[in-house]
Amino acid sequence: MPAIIDALTDTVSYTYVTALVVAVASYVLFYRWQLVKTHPDEPPIIPSAIPFVGHPLGMVLQGGRYVKNLGLCNPDKPIFTLPVPGSRMYIVTDPSLAAAVQRASKTLSFTPLVPDITRRVLGLDDETVAVVRQHIDPEPGEPRGFLADIHDLVYSYLGPGEALHELSLGAIQELARRVEDYAERVQKERKGVETVDLLQWIRHFVAVATANFLYGDENPLALHPELESSFWDFDHGLGSLLMGVLPSLTAPKAYRGREALAAAFEEYLSKGRHLPGNGRKGASVIVQKRVTIALQHGWTLQAAARSELSFLFAGIVNTATTTFWMVLHLFASPTSSTPNLLSTIRSELSTSFTPDPHTGTLTLSLDSLKASSPTLQSLLRECLRQNSDTYSTRLVKSPTTLSGPSGPYHLAADAIVQISGGTIHADPRIWGPDSAVFNPLRFLPPRRSRQKKHHHHHHGDDDPAKEEEEAPHGNNNKNIHPAAFRAFGGGKTLCPGRHFATASIQALVAMLVMGFDITAAADNDADSDGDEEEEGQKQQQQQNQKGELQVPGKEDGVLPVHVLEPKGRVVVMVRVRDLRFIAKVRVV
């Protein structure tokens, strides 16, 4: 019997040792395999501790923070390779290489990725996705598909010019009406004072005004107010929806929110509420044309309804969140470097509001707002630099070589290229040793440049190329590579709505800053998730009890598909300051 036991023990021991040796050998094999370049000039490889799946797992668990920190921890690598299952990801962290990616639009393109992304995010059916794939990235003279036609429509309305100006006027006038309605209600019912969640407060203005302006009085959010919370459920679950794995189970709130919105938009379109008639103004012309193009390309009405979720999303999310950060920074406790920020911006803004000699009501000039408020515009860009960690993503359609620092760099076909906006926005070599510090004056242009702009600006003269070149002046007016400012993307995918969004943001901030005073609420009763957020919330409660309104950190542990939100809620006391800047303001 002892002999049998000894034999079994030896067998088991041998099996364990063999299994351990096989496991270690397999690990070493896979680890070394991920270090093998597909080409001698492929960008340097950063291996993961768990071969091939470690990097995707890090992105899922840490969100945008993962790639951002990889870039910051490898400053000697302007571009690097992440081995992933069956492919490669190339991460670009240098502005000059980012510009090279943007120039190589024939072989590096985002468009081929759109069908699969929209299938997952919007829940499009196979037939609609097949339509989207047709003539997806045409060269000049080739047949144009759905995406090309939508691209042309959006750029014709949102590019600089008279159409954009008229669109901006309508949207901002709608925002003004919503702010006026709120101020009059609070003045009447609460003596002009109310405690609010700052982000939700601003979101509501933007959501209802945008839905009303784009989709008319009978828009889904107006008829079904509960859809506003469904919209934000959809937004907050975009990362999970993008995974595309059983979304009803893995992203239940986002899935339910999306489906509720899709059903409401289907009802909206099927009943013709987007068309003018019977005393109804209908949707904006750009929305009507979007629906027409979709139907002309063979989309069903149900699919067209889902497509409008993306347009509503584009009109609301970044505008609301950026406005939040700007308003919060303006009313937060002054810093030693900018003790008079609020008074400076109020002084600048006062020149953009002019009284009507007959009625006394104020007129807000968008031209004057842009030309006479350099500090406001610098604040906007700094808020975007600090809180926009977005990626610019491209598919490598065919093998491509990029020239750049320590290059050339060979990119393999069918790989993914991502320009890491988070890394570039936080790089001290670009922005200086204070890159981690919020500096609202960072983007102030030289005084001579400001004076020139003030005297020669007209709303029809905007040139997006010139705007990109002039954007980042930065520390002590040191010129910074134009591709270093990533908030609007760049190249062929430069955000077409950036002019519309910035005009809306600046006008809304102007009305809120001139019309209200905002202070810390005595009791910030925010819910929190996780120890880190709970600790941050406790600190904020203590600061609020002292009357200090502090700026929380950004929630960068999510997929950075838009401007990042704060960690935890920011509860404030809103007090009507001057109704002249709110009541019956006319926008020109």
Side-chain angles (χ1 to χ4, degrees):
M1 186 64 123
I4 294 175
I5 293 174
D6 289 342
L8 288 173
T9 301
D10 290 343
T11 301
V12 171
S13 298
Y14 177 76
T15 302
Y16 281 147
V17 170
T18 302
L20 181 61
V21 169
V22 170
V24 171
S26 298
Y27 177 81
V28 171
L29 175 65
F30 279 102
Y31 188 88
R32 293 181 66 85
W33 187 12
Q34 69 177 338
L35 293 171
V36 177
K37 289 190 172 187
T38 61
H39 187 279
D41 291 332
E42 187 173 47
I45 296 172
I46 296 181
S48 61
I50 307 175
F52 294 104
V53 300
H55 291 310
L57 188 61
M59 295 175 200
V60 170
L61 296 178
Q62 298 183 34
R65 185 193 313 137
Y66 182 80
V67 169
K68 172 183 174 180
N69 288 340
L70 273 181
L72 292 176
C73 291
N74 291 274
D76 59 319
K77 299 177 179 64
I79 181 173
F80 51 84
T81 303
L82 301 184
V84 296
S87 186
R88 327 287 272 176
M89 288 185 67
Y90 301 118
I91 307 299
V92 176
T93 62
D94 178 82
S96 62
L97 269 179
V101 169
Q102 291 165 184
R103 289 192 297 269
S105 58
K106 288 188 177 182
T107 59
L108 307 178
S109 177
F110 173 70
T111 311
L113 301 172
V114 172
D116 284 332
I117 291 174
T118 53
R119 180 207 298 272
R120 297 174 183 181
V121 171
L122 301 178
L124 296 181
D125 57 86
D126 292 343
E127 291 75 13
T128 303
V129 173
V131 172
V132 177
R133 291 189 193 281
Q134 294 174 4
H135 310 300
I136 194 169
D137 215 354
E139 295 293 331
E142 294 180 352
R144 303 180 67 75
F146 167 77
L147 284 179
D149 284 349
I150 287 291
H151 175 277
D152 292 346
L153 170 69
V154 170
Y155 275 84
S156 67
Y157 274 87
L158 298 182
E162 207 56 47
L164 170 66
H165 190 66
E166 292 301 316
L167 203 64
S168 299
L169 287 179
I172 295 168
Q173 194 66 67
E174 187 64 43
L175 277 169
R177 279 194 288 269
R178 300 295 171 172
V179 174
E180 178 185 2
D181 290 345
Y182 170 82
E184 290 181 345
R185 178 182 63 79
V186 171
Q187 191 81 340
K188 180 179 179 181
E189 299 176 3
R190 297 178 176 270
K191 298 182 179 180
V193 182
E194 186 174 41
T195 299
V196 300
D197 178 308
L198 183 61
L199 180 57
Q200 290 184 6
W201 184 64
I202 292 172
R203 274 179 179 168
H204 180 67
F205 288 141
V206 177
V208 296
T210 301
N212 204 68
F213 169 69
L214 288 178
Y215 295 96
D217 297 334
E218 297 181 17
N219 71 81
L221 267 63
L223 298 182
H224 308 284
E226 71 277 6
L227 288 178
E228 190 176 339
S229 62
S230 298
F231 175 86
W232 293 110
D233 287 342
F234 167 62
D235 166 56
H236 291 149
L238 281 178
S240 299
L241 289 175
L242 269 171
M243 298 293 291
V245 180
L246 299 174
S248 61
L249 299 177
T250 58
K253 287 185 70 174
Y255 178 82
R256 289 194 298 269
R258 182 188 73 188
E259 295 306 305
L261 287 163
F265 268 101
E266 183 179 342
E267 177 191 42
Y268 168 81
L269 294 180
S270 64
K271 293 189 175 181
R273 291 174 178 153
H274 63 299
L275 301 173
N278 299 323
R280 179 179 58 232
K281 73 172 185 177
S284 60
V285 175
I286 189 172
V287 166
Q288 293 180 42
K289 290 189 175 182
R290 277 175 52 86
V291 174
T292 298
I293 289 173
L295 298 179
Q296 286 175 343
H297 280 274
W299 287 49
T300 63
L301 200 65
Q302 293 84 353
R306 289 180 178 273
S307 177
E308 290 313 305
L309 269 63
S310 65
F311 201 56
L312 184 65
F313 174 90
I316 292 176
V317 177
N318 280 337
T319 297
T321 312
T322 305
T323 301
F324 159 82
W325 285 115
M326 292 180 69
V327 170
L328 178 58
H329 277 287
L330 281 170
F331 286 101
S333 300
T335 63
S336 58
S337 58
T338 55
N340 303 312
L341 180 63
L342 178 59
S343 60
T344 297
I345 284 185
R346 276 178 169 166
S347 177
E348 289 181 354
L349 290 175
S350 64
T351 63
S352 298
F353 289 89
T354 55
D356 184 288
H358 303 292
T359 64
T361 56
L362 295 180
T363 296
L364 172 61
S365 166
L366 299 186
D367 287 347
S368 176
L369 185 62
K370 185 171 182 178
S372 304
S373 306
T375 311
L376 181 71
Q377 301 204 38
S378 179
L379 171 66
L380 167 61
R381 288 187 173 275
E382 181 69 348
C383 284
L384 290 172
R385 184 190 73 87
Q386 277 228 332
N387 300 297
S388 179
D389 289 356
T390 51
Y391 304 133
S392 294
T393 305
R394 306 286 194 277
L395 175 70
V396 184
K397 296 166 62 176
S398 59
T400 302
T401 299
L402 298 178
S403 298
S406 307
Y409 299 103
H410 176 87
L411 310 183
D414 298 323
I416 295 294
V417 180
Q418 284 189 341
I419 301 171
S420 176
T423 303
I424 294 174
H425 282 168
D427 192 336
R429 295 171 303 171
I430 299 171
W431 305 100
D434 69 339
S435 60
V437 177
F438 184 86
N439 176 8
L441 309 182
R442 186 183 303 276
F443 290 90
L444 277 179
R447 184 173 300 275
R448 184 180 303 174
S449 174
R450 273 183 277 170
Q451 292 172 344
K452 184 177 179 181
K453 283 187 178 182
H454 180 75
H455 289 302
H456 296 287
H457 176 77
H458 299 285
H459 69 253
D461 294 342
D462 297 283
D463 183 333
K466 290 180 182 178
E467 180 178 307
E468 274 204 308
E469 290 172 4
E470 292 179 358
H473 287 276
N475 316 310
N476 299 318
N477 297 320
K478 181 183 73 174
N479 285 328
I480 294 173
H481 196 290
F485 186 73
R486 306 300 312 166
F488 300 119
K492 194 175 180 181
T493 59
L494 183 65
C495 175
R498 64 195 184 282
H499 301 293
F500 177 78
T502 53
S504 299
I505 292 166
Q506 290 173 5
L508 179 55
V509 170
M511 289 183 282
L512 297 180
V513 166
M514 299 301 284
F516 297 93
D517 280 319
I518 297 175
T519 55
D523 180 20
N524 193 334
D525 59 348
D527 297 326
S528 60
D529 297 314
D531 294 340
E532 181 181 344
E533 185 174 338
E534 184 175 352
E535 182 61 30
Q537 202 68 62
K538 286 180 181 178
Q539 292 177 3
Q540 192 169 6
Q541 288 174 356
Q542 295 170 359
Q543 291 159 346
N544 285 358
Q545 289 169 359
K546 298 176 184 178
E548 300 174 357
L549 181 57
Q550 299 295 321
V551 179
K554 62 186 177 185
E555 180 49 78
D556 59 356
V558 299
L559 189 68
V561 293
H562 53 64
V563 176
L564 296 172
E565 297 177 1
K567 288 183 176 179
R569 298 169 59 200
V570 178
V571 180
V572 298
M573 186 82 73
V574 173
R575 181 177 287 101
V576 176
R577 170 180 178 260
D578 194 333
L579 276 174
R580 291 179 306 152
F581 296 98
I582 305 170
K584 297 178 175 55
V585 171
R586 189 169 69 94
V587 184
V588 297

